[in-house]
Every structure is written in C-alpha cells, then in structure tokens.
C-alpha cells in the first residue's frame, strides 16, 4: 500500500489475471441489488457508495466524471461491480476458512499507515484524504479488504514447503547462474587495417605508451578513452580475441590479432582470475525463498481459479450491471 491509499484491491495477492464468467445462472436478483453471489446480494447502496468514491476522486482532480451511457462510465461501473462481487466471494470463503477481520485489526493497520506514510500526523493524513477525494469509511473498507486477502493468502499457503531435494535440483539445473567465468584485466587498441596495426606494434616495441596510442588510434568506443583498458570474462569476447587475451603472459603485448571488428593489439595487465562457482550452501536459503514464493503463488492462483469456478453458477447480475469482462485484475480508473 502506497501513499495513494485508495484503490480497489480485488484479489491483491494474485499476480496473474484470472478470467471468470459473468454468471449466467437462473438466480433471481432483487430489485435493490446489482448482483447476487450465492445467498448474498450486492446492494445498489453498496454500488452507489463505491461509484460515489470514484466521482469524488474525479472531482478532487478537477476532472469531469464520465456520463452514464459512455464507454468510460461503463468501464468504471464494471470495475465497481467486479470488485464488489470478488470481495463477497472472498468473504464467503473466508468464513469457511475461519478467518475474520475485526475493527481492531483495521484500526491497527490504519495506525501503522499513518506512521509509515504521514509520520503519525493526523493533519497530513486528512490532507491526503481530501486531495484524493476519499472518505474515512472508504479507507477502512479497503484496509479490511487488504487484511482479508492477506489472511486468506497466509491460510491457503501455510502448508507450502520446499524440500532440500528441490533446492538441490534447482541449483544443479541453474548452475550457470551461480558460476563466474575466468576474468582478466587487459587493454587493447582496435584499428581498421593491418598496416596501421603493424605500425603501432613497432612503436610499442620501441617504448611508446600503450594508453596514449589507444586514446589516439583505437576505434573501440568503450575503452579508447580509458587507454584501451577493460576487464573481460572468458568466453564473452570473440574467439580470436579471447584466445590471445587469456594466453598472454602477464605484462606481455600481442602482435596484431584479426577479428570481425578489425585488428587488435592486446596487452595483459593482470593475471587470470580463475573461474569460480558459488557453493550451494551459500545460496541454499535464497533458493528456498525463491522456490517457496513461486509455489505459494501457484497455490494461490489455483485456489482463486477454483473459487471463481465454484461461484460461476452462483452469480447473477441485475440487467444493465453485468460487467463486459470480469477479471481479478480490475483496477478502477479513479486511481490514475
């Protein structure tokens, strides 16, 4: 949650958008409701509350709210309805999981937000509310939704584990990620033709300064200004260059070497630093956390997919309120 506190947060812990149907059941929707989700009704009062928050946000930004009947208005309406339906689905499933959110929970999180983003200043917090056209009630409801998602996520993924065998398998399959090739500090001069390369070799043998010649003649834009100096990794330069650069004795200078880029004269500045591999023990816990997060995301995504499937035939919309597309990734335009 950032300083822009007031956004719709449908299934905030799910990374991927999961398409869902728009009901299609024979359920009867009461006249004072925009949708039914199982035995619950999403009231027009609730819909109007969130639509009103969108209107307030537009007003705070001195923007004109879309008129009913326009594509923009329909988009906001769809997102409000989708948000309310998804939150109801979560709330119903939360009861099955024994999860509840209390006013004490909400107050504690709000206090934390005020300290984290406003230095504990009630005045700055209220100023931000006014700037976004938001109300205290809106904030409380969204904090409650956030906490509900967090608790569901923690409950659903609580049994996810990563074994040492999985870690070892991942490390073995991705060993190149934990390996560093041999490296060496060299400098070189790159020119277009052998005649000039031969001329520069002669000057170097006569005691000319390598760095000065590199700055004057080398056409390598990445190293010329540095006197031709660069650090190379074995296997990451063209083969002809790589072979000579890693075989030269330290301090020695090569004759002209031809590559697809032209003619090089190479000087070895340092000894070769050997290749090394980070041992499994050093990265074991970081791999565990990486795999754990991946498995939790998959577990949660599957759970949400099943949730949407379970409610597909239990959801129906009032005429004129069915979203054109129902998606768990909906985010209202009022937050832009």
């Amino acid at each position: 949650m950032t300083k822009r506190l007031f956004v719709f947060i449908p299934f905030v812990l799910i990374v991927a958008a999961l398409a869902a149907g728009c009901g299609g059941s024979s359920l009867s929707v009461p006249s004072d409701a925009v949708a039914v989700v199982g035995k619950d009704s999403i009231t027009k009062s609730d819909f109007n509350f969130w639509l009103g928050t969108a209107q307030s946000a537009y007003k705070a930004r001195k923007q004109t709210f879309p008129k009913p009947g326009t594509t923009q208005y329909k988009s906001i309406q769809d997102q409000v309805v989708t948000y309310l339906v998804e939150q109801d689905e979560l709330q119903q499933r939360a009861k099955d999981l024994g999860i509840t959110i209390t006013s004490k929970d909400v107050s504690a999180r709000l206090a934390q937000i005020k300290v984290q983003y406003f230095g504990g200043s009630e005045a700055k917090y209220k100023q931000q509310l006014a700037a976004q056209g938001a109300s205290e009630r809106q904030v409380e409801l969204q904090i409650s939704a956030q906490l509900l998602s967090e608790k569901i996520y923690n409950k659903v993924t609580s049994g996810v584990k990563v074994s040492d065998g999985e870690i070892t398998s991942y490390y073995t399959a991705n060993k190149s990620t934990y390996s560093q090739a041999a490296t060496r500090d060299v400098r070189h001069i790159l020119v277009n033709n052998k005649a000039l390369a031969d001329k520069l070799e002669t000057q170097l043998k006569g005691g000319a300064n390598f760095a000065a010649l590199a700055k004057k003649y080398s056409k390598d834009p990445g190293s010329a200004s540095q006197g031709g100096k660069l650090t190379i990794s074995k296997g990451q330069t063209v083969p002809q260059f790589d072979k000579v650069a890693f075989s030269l004795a330290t301090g020695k200078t090569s004759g002209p070497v031809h590559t697809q880029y032209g003619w090089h004269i190479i000087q070895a500045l340092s000894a070769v630093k050997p290749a090394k591999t980070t041992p499994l023990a050093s990265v074991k816990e970081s791999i565990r956390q990486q795999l754990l997060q991946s498995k939790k995301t998959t577990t949660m995504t599957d759970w949400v997919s099943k949730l949407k499937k379970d409610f597909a035939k239990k959801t129906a919309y009032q005429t004129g309120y069915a979203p054109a597309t129902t998606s768990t990734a909906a985010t209202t335009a009022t937050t832009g």
Side-chain angles (χ1 to χ4, degrees):
M1 185 172 288
T2 65
K3 208 166 183 179
R4 186 177 288 279
L5 301 172
F6 318 112
V7 297
F8 289 126
I9 320 174
F11 297 95
V12 291
L13 296 169
I14 304 305
V15 176
L18 298 171
C22 291
S25 73
S26 59
L27 294 172
S28 175
V29 182
S31 60
D32 64 345
V34 298
V36 292
V37 183
K39 295 180 179 180
D40 292 350
S41 292
I42 307 298
T43 67
K44 288 182 178 178
S45 175
D46 287 337
F47 170 81
N48 289 332
F49 171 83
W50 286 109
L51 188 67
T53 66
Q55 292 170 324
S56 296
Y58 268 75
K59 184 177 180 180
R61 297 196 303 268
K62 295 181 172 57
Q63 295 177 343
T64 302
F65 191 73
K67 293 181 179 180
T70 63
T71 301
Q72 293 83 358
Y73 180 89
K74 174 59 176 171
S75 177
I76 294 174
Q77 174 183 293
D78 285 357
Q79 291 169 57
V80 172
V81 173
T82 298
Y83 174 72
L84 290 170
V85 168
E86 289 176 340
Q87 283 304 307
D88 193 88
E89 290 172 355
L90 279 180
Q91 289 164 5
Q92 289 191 49
R93 193 61 83 238
K95 291 179 182 178
D96 298 337
L97 295 172
I99 294 171
T100 58
I101 303 299
T102 67
S103 58
K104 186 177 180 180
D105 294 331
V106 174
S107 295
R109 177 61 63 85
L110 180 56
Q112 178 185 336
I113 290 170
K114 289 178 180 178
V115 170
Q116 183 175 355
Y117 295 104
F118 306 101
S121 170
E122 188 70 19
K124 289 181 180 179
Y125 166 68
K126 291 291 180 62
Q127 184 178 15
Q128 186 69 16
L129 281 180
Q132 294 190 27
S135 66
E136 292 266 15
R137 179 58 178 160
Q138 180 186 348
V139 176
E140 291 170 355
L141 288 172
Q142 292 206 316
I143 288 175
S144 180
Q146 177 74 51
L147 291 171
L148 186 71
S149 290
E150 290 175 7
K151 286 192 175 187
I152 289 175
Y153 176 86
N154 291 336
K155 184 85 170 184
V156 171
T157 64
S158 62
V160 176
K161 306 293 181 185
V162 174
S163 69
D164 287 349
E166 289 175 304
I167 294 172
T168 300
S169 295
Y170 180 88
Y171 177 81
T172 301
N174 297 274
K175 207 161 190 177
S176 61
T177 303
Y178 306 101
S179 299
Q180 180 179 315
T183 61
R184 191 173 208 183
D185 294 332
V186 301
R187 55 186 173 192
H188 79 131
I189 301 171
L190 173 62
V191 294
N192 288 324
N193 59 77
K194 188 173 186 298
L196 178 55
D198 288 338
K199 176 182 176 181
L200 294 176
E201 180 188 16
T202 299
Q203 292 181 32
L204 289 168
K205 286 180 177 179
N209 183 278
F210 195 108
L213 291 180
K215 288 180 180 179
K216 183 176 181 179
Y217 291 102
S218 183
K219 67 172 189 174
D220 178 10
S223 67
S225 64
Q226 306 300 317
K229 185 176 180 181
L230 70 163
T231 299
I232 58 173
S233 296
K234 192 169 183 61
Q236 293 184 8
T237 58
V238 289
Q240 302 92 328
F241 187 101
D242 195 76
K243 181 179 179 180
V244 174
F246 280 96
S247 62
L248 278 172
T250 303
K252 296 298 182 179
T253 302
S254 75
V257 178
H258 186 239
T259 74
Q260 66 197 65
Y261 299 107
W263 291 86
H264 307 257
I265 296 176
I266 307 167
Q267 186 178 78
L269 297 178
S270 72
V272 175
K273 297 177 182 176
K276 61 180 181 179
T277 300
T278 304
L280 173 59
S282 298
V283 293
K284 184 175 182 178
E285 288 311 309
S286 64
I287 293 176
R288 187 188 303 279
Q289 291 306 312
Q290 180 182 341
L291 295 180
L292 185 64
Q293 186 56 56
S294 178
K295 290 178 75 172
K296 284 186 174 182
T297 298
T298 299
T299 298
M300 195 67 204
T301 299
D302 291 344
W303 185 89
V304 171
S305 182
K306 184 177 185 303
L307 177 73
K308 301 302 293 182
K309 185 177 180 180
D310 289 346
F311 276 100
K313 295 294 180 67
K314 302 176 185 177
T315 303
Y317 298 90
Q318 185 66 261
T319 302
Y321 287 91
T325 301
T326 303
S327 167
T328 58
T331 303
T332 179
T334 66
T335 64

